[in-house]
Amino acid sequence: MNEEQDAFAGGRELQPESGDRPGDDPLLWSVASAMRKLGPRATMAQLAREVGTEPSVLYRRFPTVAALRESLAAAFYDRLFSHVQRARELPVDQRLDYFLRNVGLHLATSRGVLPDEFGQMANPVQRERIYALTEELLAEARQAGVVPDEVDLSDIAAIIWALRGIIAMTDAIEIDAWERHLDLVLVGLKSEGLTFTRPPMGAEALDEIIHRRRNER
């Protein structure tokens, strides 16, 4: 995990960054850290005590626990998008790596804060923004020969699903274990000897899987 990927994992605290997004909210990120410590089922009173404020302060900002979780999910997603946009500033052979490491980092840091993956809790506009950027970064990587032309958007989705599973299995024990798996995946993804045993699942199947996951929430 490098210094550019500034959030908390393995005990490092997530701190607000100036300019990450309009109206970036130090109170919200303090609540995120408190929820990471206390668990996503913590009450408003418990969270307020942990961040050193009164429950009434939180209730004025977030009338319900559901509203608080929605705000946290939106904040995590906006932060992810802000970070991965920086991939465009990197050499083309580093962009997809940077994107996937930031996705993994945000999945790991939202674990224990949100009751569901923050990507499932994000609104449709946020999801479409990140999907479009993923397609763009993959297209650039293929065009530059960083990954084979056969690598499909559904392959990138499957990598992210695998990271979710590893994070869920290792959470609170070895929170950074997903990074080692991603190291292996990225080497294989760029290997000249990469071959596939079957064709990609395709856009229609990918959409169906994503929509089914949303409906299961």
Side-chain angles (χ1 to χ4, degrees):
M1 190 176 299
N2 61 47
E3 293 180 356
E4 289 179 312
Q5 298 166 318
D6 41 0
F8 77 85
R12 289 188 291 252
E13 289 294 320
L14 177 63
Q15 299 294 341
E17 294 178 8
S18 177
D20 245 8
R21 58 185 285 255
D24 205 359
D25 187 346
L27 176 60
L28 188 62
W29 292 113
S30 294
V31 171
S33 293
M35 195 172 283
R36 175 75 183 177
K37 179 179 179 181
L38 301 174
R41 307 301 176 188
T43 67
M44 287 292 223
Q46 291 171 324
L47 293 170
R49 185 164 52 248
E50 184 66 26
V51 303
T53 191
E54 294 296 323
S56 59
V57 173
L58 293 187
Y59 277 114
R60 279 197 296 271
R61 294 288 309 282
F62 315 107
T64 65
V65 173
L68 171 59
R69 288 173 178 163
E70 288 173 6
S71 295
L72 284 167
F76 269 101
Y77 219 77
D78 284 351
R79 166 137 327 161
L80 171 62
F81 190 76
S82 174
H83 281 198
V84 297
Q85 278 188 307
R86 299 174 193 171
R88 293 191 175 107
E89 302 168 9
L90 299 174
V92 67
D93 63 332
Q94 298 177 26
R95 293 174 190 173
L96 196 57
D97 295 39
Y98 182 86
F99 168 77
L100 287 170
R101 290 193 186 280
N102 270 279
V103 170
L105 182 63
H106 282 72
L107 287 170
T109 55
S110 66
R111 180 84 181 173
V113 175
L114 301 175
D116 301 297
E117 295 100 343
F118 70 94
Q120 298 299 322
M121 297 181 68
N123 65 53
V125 173
Q126 290 173 317
R127 283 192 292 261
E128 289 307 316
R129 288 169 69 198
I130 205 72
Y131 293 162
L133 181 59
T134 307
E135 288 186 293
E136 177 185 325
L137 294 175
L138 177 58
E140 290 171 350
R142 286 191 299 222
Q143 186 174 6
V146 177
V147 300
D149 290 341
E150 294 79 11
V151 175
D152 186 75
L153 184 62
S154 62
D155 297 318
I156 304 303
I159 292 170
I160 294 170
W161 297 337
L163 294 181
R164 284 178 178 169
I166 293 167
I167 289 165
M169 286 291 293
T170 61
D171 183 47
I173 299 173
E174 195 68 38
I175 194 172
D176 295 332
W178 63 269
E179 293 188 83
R180 185 177 176 89
H181 174 74
L182 186 56
D183 290 338
L184 293 170
V185 168
L186 290 172
V187 170
L189 198 61
K190 298 176 182 178
S191 171
E192 293 182 359
L194 177 64
T195 57
F196 293 96
T197 57
R198 56 154 294 143
M201 68 179 73
E204 185 175 336
L206 180 59
D207 286 345
E208 184 177 349
I209 291 167
I210 291 170
H211 281 90
R212 183 186 65 194
R213 288 280 295 160
R214 288 181 203 158
N215 293 336
E216 287 173 353
R217 276 190 57 213

